[in-house]
Amino acid sequence: MENKLRELIGQPNVWLFVKSSNGWLKNVEILDVSPETVTFRYENESDKERKLWEKTTRIKNVTEIEVRLLAIPKGDGEVQEMKNRLSQIFEKE
């Protein structure tokens, strides 16, 4: 687990399941990994406010890691629009 967390330092779209937090922490930014602990930032949003947290927890508290590799819209029109935008970007270069 320590090595995998080290690989993910600075990577986007990382979710951690942390036992001490009792659930998934979405889109965390892993800042530092030591042999015993991991330090990361995450955001929590409610109707009234957005909070940015920095947390250090024991690596043994991290039971699962998920990384979103790709997100594709469901609607055909949205997919075509995305393809068109990508084509335009590639044509410019």
Side-chain angles (χ1 to χ4, degrees):
M1 185 68 78
E2 177 186 348
N3 290 336
K4 184 61 176 178
L5 289 167
R6 280 189 196 282
E7 289 175 21
L8 295 172
I9 290 175
Q11 297 295 316
N13 304 315
V14 176
W15 291 27
L16 301 178
F17 191 91
V18 180
K19 286 191 283 188
S20 60
S21 296
N22 223 8
W24 285 99
L25 300 177
K26 303 174 186 178
N27 297 319
V28 303
E29 176 187 358
I30 298 174
L31 303 172
D32 186 46
V33 180
S34 73
E36 298 290 323
T37 63
V38 58
T39 301
F40 55 91
R41 284 192 189 121
Y42 67 99
E43 204 172 291
N44 186 351
E45 190 171 336
S46 69
D47 292 339
K48 296 180 182 180
E49 60 189 356
R50 286 174 69 178
K51 300 175 191 172
L52 183 62
W53 299 90
E54 186 169 304
K55 180 177 180 117
T56 300
T57 191
R58 288 183 216 100
I59 289 178
K60 67 181 183 179
N61 280 333
V62 178
T63 58
E64 290 185 60
I65 300 170
E66 287 192 4
V67 179
R68 186 181 68 206
L69 302 176
L70 179 65
I72 298 175
K74 286 185 176 182
D76 288 338
E78 292 175 18
V79 172
Q80 188 58 47
E81 184 179 323
M82 184 181 286
K83 286 179 182 177
N84 291 342
R85 278 190 256 145
L86 289 172
S87 294
Q88 290 173 356
I89 291 170
F90 290 133
E91 288 173 3
K92 287 180 183 178
E93 295 181 6

